């Protein structure tokens, strides 16, 4: 048999699929729809192995569902706005637009070489004015609906990229792209009112039962709902700046009030500002800690610091109990009221704080089984369950009961006309700031007029397109520096006005692209609601867990905003979500520490294990840890190289075969070679069958079950088929692959004339081979087409139906029963499923173990529990 020529075959079938446009999905297709979507790529220039894995998984599902008779929507596009295009413009003097579209062209070619069953007719890039026009329209709709607003805020300013970042884009106090330490600046910006949906976004997570639990948990934590009590502490007038009389705090632990040791307020709290005005030392301290910023992550890791303002707060249950008020660096102005009472025994931050300033602690919750008299807290706060101690009227209560008691008492107590305590629900989720001071993004379609203030750009002037004659010779926003672009007349009064030069966060672009794919041809509106309502939600979304919070949460919000503004009639965009693992690889390092790429080394395996040798010089290189493929460690493998030397099917197969899809997969040369051998093996089976199927080896009889042997093969075929079908359905690709390996192992002997003893049923073998080709088709579609063609089957296997499972053949033909003698297990017996009780009895009594257990005693009774147990009573 001739060797399989992957290269030729892949190019051939890709062209065939393209010409026939077989992966185009029609919106008026009457069959049930199935929408498969992988997170669309950023056009960085090249596809990487992570893409290959992600898209292969989606492709297997798309091809499978197509074969199962669905109208499959499987589109692809480009998340094309963003900073790298501007950086390229600065570094290489290429226009962001040209750079982006060049990259798209290159990556599209690469994607095509993977053989993905994509509907390219729906392709768009988010930087196409025909896309962002609609995004601008939706922004204006949201503005009218009160879902977009202009807001003055303290913002995270990235001094290197010269832009504002969302909190989510600040990682450990640094910009997520530049790595620069982020500063805080007060600025006006546009926000989307995601907090209007805090409760709904939280509750609806319960219904997303085809999402990973960990992703739902991350979203829950991000939304961060807390039930607690707002308490108004009176301030001691003798110690307090004029005009201030109380301090409002938010606590989730009102039960711990009798363990309070201090109060703490944010550096931005009005009371801190008032106190600092009179105290230069305090003013200095405030200025100092403001520099660190207010990102949660910094606050969590920075050393706790405070400054005693001298102000005293009065304990709500004891007028003679005075608590010192500190300005502290771990209290955020943006959460709750920007002020807390500190209970060190039961909160680690508070404990770290009092230990630093020698304020002491009093435990007020005692764990069950502990003696309250000996229960002390030193370095570790206790945040577990227990009973109240040292807490006057709360003593002996559970935490829950104590919370309730405190809430009741403080709600009932009035100061002025207002209750001292008030139950409150707080969310951590903040509104989504979308303004970015960047050129390469979707322009925010408003005009600032000195008399009319903010004026929306009229619909008939959309899109507000980006100018192309921009210069990047100074840092900051090129739109702002453009000589003419921003200068316009006010659409309302005609006076001289300026355009908004901020562009939208690129997360806006990716918050609705999935809806656009349902009708990307609509020139007049973002969606055609009829069609969007029919084709949405995405049935299976696949992407990296790094998007578990931001992108997925924004998309869930945006879909609700689209619903509120009439562009779609549903709230949840993704019915099923799957987060795939990463592609990882060994690292290689020369003696001088320089990293070398896998392509530069050869792996040698001998008695001493594995060695890596540098191809160029023959010198040994050290094999380092297995890590995520990255440019910095040079442990990347180029998909183009793999496809050129092994073919796309091998890359696809290996990606699917080696680990569960949600775990990391270790890319290895050895593994890839194994996949290559498997491709050859499948090809040989089909070749052998094609060459021998006319021979007398095969019986004349054409019935499928006319011999024991035929029946046995058919059982194997259908059992495998059933398992593989189930596995693909639940995205368990690696186990499906294992089943296919097994099945191929069986077929290898069946089609080999030298290994077969008797005559074969042509029909049964033919069925098995056709099933094989169909079930490998989602994973190795080119090989499958080539086999299909060799078998002389009509049409394309990519368009063929999934094989029918014959359920009758799945039923086991024998059963195994446990054998007991006088109630004690002595062994088991396997009998034909249809065996009569008398036959079972005979078989059981013939067992040596049974004879031995009876020890010669006569059998009194044999009880057969059908399909399960035989009990011999002696
Ligand atoms: C007293 C107390 C005692 C607290 C105790 C906790 C444990 P979550 O669950 O996240 O809502 N807090 C409130 N506002 C804060 C702010 N702006 N900056 C920093 N911390 C703040 O957390 C609520 C708890 O976080 C509140 O309950 C408050 O400390 C603190 F044993 O009050 B607690
Ligand atoms: Zn005006």
């Amino acid at each position: 048999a001739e060797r399989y020529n992957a290269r030729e075959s892949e190019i051939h079938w890709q062209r065939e699929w393209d010409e026939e446009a077989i992966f185009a999905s029609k919106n008026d297709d009457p069959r049930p729809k199935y929408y498969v979507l992988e997170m669309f790529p950023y056009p960085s220039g090249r596809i990487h192995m992570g893409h290959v894995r992600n898209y292969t998984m989606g492709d297997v599902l798309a091809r499978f569902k197509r074969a199962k008779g669905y109208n499959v929507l499987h589109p692809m596009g480009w998340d094309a706005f963003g900073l790298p295009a501007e950086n390229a413009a600065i570094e290489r003097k290429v226009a962001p637009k040209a750079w982006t579209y060049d990259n798209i062209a290159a990556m599209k070619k690469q994607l095509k070489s993977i053989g993905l069953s994509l509907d390219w007719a729906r392709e768009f890039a988010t930087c196409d004015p025909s896309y962002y026009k609609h995004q601008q329209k939706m922004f204006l709709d949201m503005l009218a609906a009160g879902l977009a607003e202009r807001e003055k805020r303290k913002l995270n300013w990235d001094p290197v990229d010269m832009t504002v970042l969302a909190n989510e884009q600040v990682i450990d106090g640094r910009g997520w792209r530049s790595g620069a330490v982020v500063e805080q600046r007060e600025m006006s910006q546009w926000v989307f009112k995601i907090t209007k949906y805090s409760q709904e976004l939280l509750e609806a997570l319960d219904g997303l039962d085809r999402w990973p639990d960990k992703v739902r948990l991350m979203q829950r934590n991000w939304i961060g709902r807390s039930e607690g009590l707002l308490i108004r502490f009176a301030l001691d007038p003798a110690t307090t700046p004029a005009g201030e009389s109380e301090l409002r705090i938010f606590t989730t632990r009102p039960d711990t009030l009798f363990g309070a040791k201090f109060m703490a307020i944010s550096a931005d709290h009005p009371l801190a500002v008032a106190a600092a005005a009179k105290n230069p030392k305090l003013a200095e301290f405030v200025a100092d800690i403001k520099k660190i910023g207010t990102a949660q992550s910094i606050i969590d890791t920075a050393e706790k610091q405070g400054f005693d303002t001298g102000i005293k707060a009065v304990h709500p249950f004891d007028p003679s109990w005075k608590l010192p008020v500190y300005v502290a660096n771990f209290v955020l102005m943006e959460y709750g009221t920007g002020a807390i009472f500190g209970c060190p025994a039961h909160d680690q931050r508070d404990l770290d704080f009092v230990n630093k300033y020698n304020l002491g602690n009093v435990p007020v919750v005692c764990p069950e089984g502990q003696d309250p008299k000996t229960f002390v807290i030193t370095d570790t706060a206790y945040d577990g369950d227990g009973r109240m101690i040292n807490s006057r009227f709360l003593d002996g209560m559970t935490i829950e009961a104590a919370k309730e008691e405190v809430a009741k008492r403080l709600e009932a107590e009035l100061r002025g006309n207002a209750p001292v305590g008030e139950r409150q629900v707080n969310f951590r989720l903040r509104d989504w700031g979308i303004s970015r001071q960047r050129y390469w993004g979707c322009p925010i379609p408003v005009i600032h007029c000195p008399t009319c203030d903010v004026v929306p750009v009229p619909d008939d002037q959309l899109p507000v397109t980006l100018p192309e004659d921009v210069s990047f010779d100074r840092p900051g926003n090129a739109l702002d520096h453009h000589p003419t672009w921003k200068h316009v007349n006010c659409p309302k009064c005609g006076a001289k006005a300026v355009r908004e030069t901020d562009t939208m966060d690129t997360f806006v672009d990716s918050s609705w692209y999935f809806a656009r794919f349902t009708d990307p041809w609509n020139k007049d509106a973002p969606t055609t609601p009829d069609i969007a309502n029919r084709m949405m939600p995405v049935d299976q979304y696949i992407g990296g867990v790094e998007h578990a919070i931001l992108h997925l949460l924004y998309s869930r919000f945006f879909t609700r905003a689209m619903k509120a503004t009439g562009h779609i009639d549903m709230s949840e965009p993704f019915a099923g979500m799957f987060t795939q693992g990463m592609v990882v690889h060994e690292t290689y390092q020369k003696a001088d520490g320089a990293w070398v790429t896998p392509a530069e080394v050869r792996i040698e395996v001998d008695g001493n294990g594995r060695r890596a040798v540098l191809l160029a010089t023959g010198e040994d290189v050290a094999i380092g840890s297995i890590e995520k493929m990255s440019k910095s460690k040079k442990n990347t493998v180029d998909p183009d190289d793999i496809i050129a030397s092994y073919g796309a099917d091998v890359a696809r197969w290996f990606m699917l075969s080696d680990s569960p899809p949600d775990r990391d997969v270790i890319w290895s040369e050895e593994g890839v070679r194994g996949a290559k051998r498997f491709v050859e093996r499948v090809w040989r089976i089909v070749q052998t069958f094609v060459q021998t199927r006319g021979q007398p080896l095969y019986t004349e009889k054409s019935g499928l079950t006319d011999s024991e042997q035929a029946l046995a093969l058919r059982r194997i075929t259908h059992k495998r088929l059933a398992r593989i079908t189930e596995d693909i359905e639940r995205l368990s690709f690696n186990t499906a692959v294992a089943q296919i390996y097994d099945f191929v192992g069986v077929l290898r002997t069946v089609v080999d004339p030298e290994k077969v003893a008797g005559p074969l049923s042509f029909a049964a073998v033919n069925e098995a081979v056709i099933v094989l080709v169909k079930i490998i088709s989602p994973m190795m579609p080119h090989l499958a087409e080539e086999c299909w063609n060799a078998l002389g089957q009509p049409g394309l296997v990519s368009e063929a139906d999934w094989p029918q499972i014959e359920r009758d053949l799945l039923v086991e033909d024998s059963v195994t029963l446990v054998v007991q003698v006088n109630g004690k297990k002595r062994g088991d017996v396997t009998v034909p499923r249809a065996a009569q009780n008398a036959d079972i009895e005979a078989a059981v009594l013939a067992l040596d173990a049974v004879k031995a257990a009876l020890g010669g005693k006569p059998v009194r009774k044999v009880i057969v529990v059908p399909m399960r147990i035989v009990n011999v009573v002696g």
Side-chain angles (χ1 to χ4, degrees):
E2 53 185 293
R3 272 177 76 91
Y4 175 60
N5 187 334
R7 219 181 147 66
E8 242 171 50
S9 163
E10 292 185 354
I11 291 168
H12 173 83
W13 294 112
Q14 283 162 15
R15 190 178 311 128
E16 199 89 347
W17 298 330
D18 244 10
E19 276 165 12
E20 309 273 317
I22 62 168
F23 304 127
S25 110
K26 294 192 188 61
N27 285 336
D28 56 4
D29 192 315
R31 295 172 302 168
K33 67 94 182 179
Y34 193 90
Y35 188 172
V36 189
L37 187 66
E38 301 96 51
M39 290 178 181
F40 67 163
Y42 176 77
S44 57
R46 295 196 68 75
I47 292 292
H48 56 66
M49 279 298 182
H51 293 126
V52 176
R53 189 173 193 205
N54 184 204
Y55 303 142
T56 299
M57 287 180 190
D59 198 47
V60 170
L61 194 63
R63 288 175 176 272
F64 171 73
K65 290 287 180 181
R66 215 173 269 122
K68 295 280 270 180
Y70 288 90
N71 170 30
V72 170
L73 175 56
H74 188 211
M76 181 57 75
W78 309 94
D79 189 12
F81 274 133
L83 260 187
E86 286 184 47
N87 292 341
I90 295 161
E91 286 159 22
R92 278 177 265 163
K93 308 266 176 252
V94 288
K97 179 178 167 185
W99 182 84
T100 305
Y101 284 102
D102 282 354
N103 286 350
I104 288 175
M107 288 170 77
K108 183 172 178 179
K109 208 167 147 233
Q110 287 188 294
L111 284 187
K112 289 209 162 187
S113 74
I114 305 171
L116 304 171
S117 64
L118 291 164
D119 182 357
W120 283 105
R122 293 172 190 253
E123 175 192 9
F124 58 78
T126 55
C127 63
D128 298 340
S130 59
Y131 178 76
Y132 69 68
K133 167 187 175 178
H134 304 294
Q135 190 163 305
Q136 292 176 337
K137 171 71 172 115
M138 284 192 288
F139 174 91
L140 296 176
D141 290 348
M142 287 166 74
L143 189 62
L147 291 170
E149 272 178 7
R150 203 158 163 73
E151 191 183 282
K152 235 187 160 62
R153 263 203 193 179
K154 248 179 57 185
L155 293 171
N156 305 303
W157 178 257
D158 185 320
V160 168
D161 283 343
M162 307 245 311
T163 187
V164 166
L165 300 176
N167 275 335
E168 299 90 322
Q169 292 163 339
V170 179
I171 294 154
D172 295 332
R174 293 171 182 274
W176 69 314
R177 282 203 187 278
S178 71
V181 174
V182 165
E183 298 163 7
Q184 302 299 307
R185 285 199 183 176
E186 176 104 355
M187 305 172 80
S188 276
Q189 71 151 9
W190 290 99
V191 298
F192 281 151
K193 302 294 291 176
I194 189 171
T195 56
K196 287 200 171 172
Y197 295 93
S198 298
Q199 182 66 27
E200 199 195 313
L201 286 167
L202 181 71
E203 276 172 10
L205 285 172
D206 293 336
L208 297 177
D209 50 5
R210 291 204 298 114
W211 279 44
D213 286 340
K214 70 169 177 214
V215 172
R216 289 194 285 173
L217 182 66
M218 285 161 87
Q219 292 219 349
R220 250 178 224 121
N221 290 340
W222 189 261
I223 295 167
R225 183 182 194 276
S226 300
E227 282 179 15
L229 201 63
L230 199 90
I231 304 177
R232 296 163 56 215
F233 279 69
L235 293 175
D236 172 10
T239 61
T240 304
E244 306 283 341
S245 65
E246 67 174 25
L247 182 58
R248 295 160 70 247
I249 65 97
F250 173 72
T251 178
T252 49
R253 296 294 304 273
D255 55 304
T256 64
L257 257 180
F258 291 104
K261 277 289 172 188
F262 65 96
M263 315 289 294
I265 57 179
S266 158
D268 297 308
H269 195 281
L271 187 59
V273 176
K278 292 187 175 173
N279 182 342
K281 280 241 165 75
L282 175 59
E284 206 176 296
F285 175 80
V286 163
D288 255 14
I289 64 172
K290 274 191 182 182
K291 275 190 208 139
I292 319 174
T294 55
Q296 183 74 57
S297 50
I298 315 183
I299 285 152
D300 290 345
T301 49
E303 195 193 338
K304 310 286 166 284
Q305 281 188 60
F307 192 101
D308 189 351
T309 60
I311 301 169
K312 305 276 185 218
V314 184
H315 195 284
F317 288 123
D318 185 343
S320 67
W321 184 345
K322 305 276 162 61
L323 293 153
V325 178
Y326 281 76
V327 173
N329 65 344
F330 62 90
V331 183
L332 292 142
M333 195 57 219
E334 288 75 24
Y335 187 67
T337 61
I340 64 160
F341 80 82
C343 174
H346 305 291
D347 182 288
Q348 193 60 44
R349 288 174 309 183
D350 297 348
L351 185 62
D352 294 344
F353 190 78
V354 295
N355 285 349
K356 179 160 177 179
Y357 296 104
N358 293 317
L359 301 173
N361 78 73
V362 176
V364 291
V365 177
C366 183
E368 216 67 56
Q370 267 270 358
D371 181 356
K373 289 190 200 73
T374 59
F375 182 55
V376 288
I377 298 286
T378 51
D379 293 327
T380 310
Y382 177 70
D383 61 5
D385 245 346
R387 296 260 165 200
M388 303 311 300
I389 55 171
N390 304 323
S391 294
R392 306 187 192 182
F393 54 84
L394 300 175
D395 281 353
M397 290 184 186
T398 62
I399 292 177
E400 278 321 302
K403 279 182 179 170
E404 188 57 34
E405 182 63 27
V406 170
K408 261 197 210 137
R409 289 191 185 217
L410 293 183
E411 274 172 336
E413 191 179 323
L414 299 178
R415 193 167 63 243
N417 286 324
V420 171
E422 204 182 315
R423 289 177 217 250
Q424 203 184 52
V425 173
N426 262 322
F427 292 92
R428 291 221 162 251
L429 187 64
R430 297 280 82 109
D431 280 328
W432 173 15
I434 59 154
S435 291
R436 296 292 178 275
Q437 294 67 44
R438 306 303 326 180
Y439 161 74
W440 194 234
C442 171
I444 294 174
V446 300
I447 290 163
H448 298 278
C449 167
T451 35
C452 315
D453 199 20
V454 171
V455 183
V457 171
D459 280 3
D460 61 6
Q461 290 173 28
L462 297 181
V464 176
T465 47
L466 290 168
E468 289 181 30
D469 52 340
V470 280
S471 130
F472 293 91
D473 47 17
R474 51 181 161 146
N477 185 352
L479 278 184
D480 219 16
H481 308 152
H482 191 278
T484 56
W485 184 81
K486 71 176 174 187
H487 302 290
V488 288
N489 294 327
C490 168
K492 253 194 198 157
C493 72
K496 278 196 188 332
V498 286
R499 286 194 189 285
E500 172 69 71
T501 56
D502 285 355
T503 54
M504 294 184 209
D505 180 2
T506 57
F507 275 105
V508 181
D509 313 340
S510 53
S511 287
W512 70 284
Y513 77 107
F514 40 84
R516 182 66 185 168
F517 276 138
T518 61
D519 187 4
W521 302 284
N522 189 335
K523 288 198 171 64
D524 306 319
T527 61
T528 306
D530 269 2
I531 297 174
N533 295 339
R534 188 148 25 91
M535 299 306 287
M536 285 285 289
V538 173
D539 294 280
Q540 187 63 60
Y541 197 29
I542 307 178
V545 72
E546 68 274 18
H547 292 297
I549 298 176
L550 294 191
H551 163 57
L552 293 179
L553 194 59
Y554 291 156
S555 298
R556 296 181 61 220
F557 158 71
F558 209 91
T559 304
R560 285 166 169 81
M562 288 175 77
K563 183 177 177 187
T565 52
H567 297 297
I568 200 165
D569 195 17
M570 67 188 70
S571 299
E572 289 296 338
F574 312 125
M577 175 68 220
F578 188 84
T579 50
Q580 96 272 2
M582 293 184 301
V583 184
V584 298
H585 198 288
E586 289 183 332
T587 47
Y588 308 106
Q589 217 168 3
K590 289 207 284 193
D592 65 1
W595 302 101
V596 268
T597 66
E600 293 171 286
V601 302
R602 185 179 61 238
I603 302 293
E604 289 177 357
V605 187
D606 59 25
N608 299 324
R610 298 171 71 248
R611 284 197 320 146
V613 178
L614 199 63
L615 285 169
T617 62
E619 73 187 281
D620 267 17
V621 291
I623 300 181
S625 56
I626 295 172
E627 309 211 17
K628 178 185 176 170
M629 285 189 180
S630 76
K631 286 201 190 100
S632 61
K633 298 257 165 92
K634 286 201 176 178
N635 61 339
T636 56
V637 171
D638 186 351
D640 276 358
D641 293 347
I642 298 295
I643 290 171
S645 31
Y646 296 98
D649 285 338
V650 168
R652 295 170 62 117
W653 183 254
F654 181 64
M655 281 297 188
L656 298 166
S657 64
D658 234 42
S659 11
D662 56 341
R663 306 267 182 78
D664 292 352
V665 63
I666 305 175
W667 186 269
S668 75
E669 194 69 21
E670 290 102 312
V672 176
R673 273 192 240 118
K676 175 77 181 165
R677 280 195 299 277
F678 184 71
V679 166
E680 296 288 350
R681 189 176 308 157
V682 170
W683 177 240
R684 252 191 331 269
I685 287 173
V686 172
Q687 289 275 299
T688 312
F689 179 63
V690 168
Q691 282 156 14
T692 59
R693 61 184 165 183
Q695 292 176 8
L697 166 75
Y698 288 100
T699 52
E700 295 299 314
K701 288 181 275 180
S702 62
L704 283 169
T705 54
D706 49 8
S707 74
E708 280 279 318
Q709 207 179 16
L711 187 61
L713 178 58
R714 296 206 69 218
R715 282 191 198 286
I716 291 172
T717 301
H718 284 271
K719 268 182 208 159
R720 294 295 179 216
L721 172 62
R723 290 280 296 276
I724 291 159
T725 306
E726 242 172 57
D727 285 350
I728 297 179
E729 201 87 61
R730 59 189 177 92
L731 311 186
S732 180
F733 303 121
N734 62 315
T735 57
V737 162
Q739 293 288 327
I740 295 176
Y741 266 116
D742 267 20
F743 186 41
V744 163
V746 172
L747 283 192
R748 241 171 128 188
T749 51
V750 167
V751 299
D752 189 340
E754 279 157 31
K755 288 188 181 138
V756 177
L760 277 168
S761 154
F762 172 77
V765 177
N766 190 51
E767 178 190 52
V769 172
I770 284 175
V771 165
L772 172 67
V773 173
K774 283 185 170 183
I775 58 183
I776 62 165
S777 158
M779 297 154 175
M780 300 190 285
H782 312 89
L783 174 66
E785 291 292 5
E786 203 62 52
C787 294
W788 195 248
N789 189 51
L791 288 167
Q793 292 289 324
L796 295 163
V797 69
S798 298
E799 287 188 294
D801 289 343
W802 195 248
Q804 283 289 332
I805 304 167
E806 287 183 30
R807 297 276 160 199
D808 295 353
L809 293 167
L810 305 184
V811 181
E812 289 291 343
D813 45 0
S814 58
V815 285
T816 301
L817 302 129
V818 171
V819 175
Q820 297 180 335
V821 177
N822 294 329
K824 202 159 173 223
K825 186 177 172 188
R826 295 293 177 186
D828 49 40
V829 66
T830 300
V831 294
R833 174 172 278 275
Q836 302 291 311
N837 276 5
D839 299 332
I840 298 172
E841 276 181 44
V844 167
L845 296 177
L847 293 175
D848 289 341
V850 172
K851 286 182 197 152
L854 285 168
K857 273 185 275 172
V859 174
R860 284 199 280 149
K861 208 160 56 170
V862 179
I863 303 158
V864 178
V865 182
M867 319 296 284
R868 293 184 47 207
I869 299 174
V870 185
N871 194 11
V872 180
V873 185

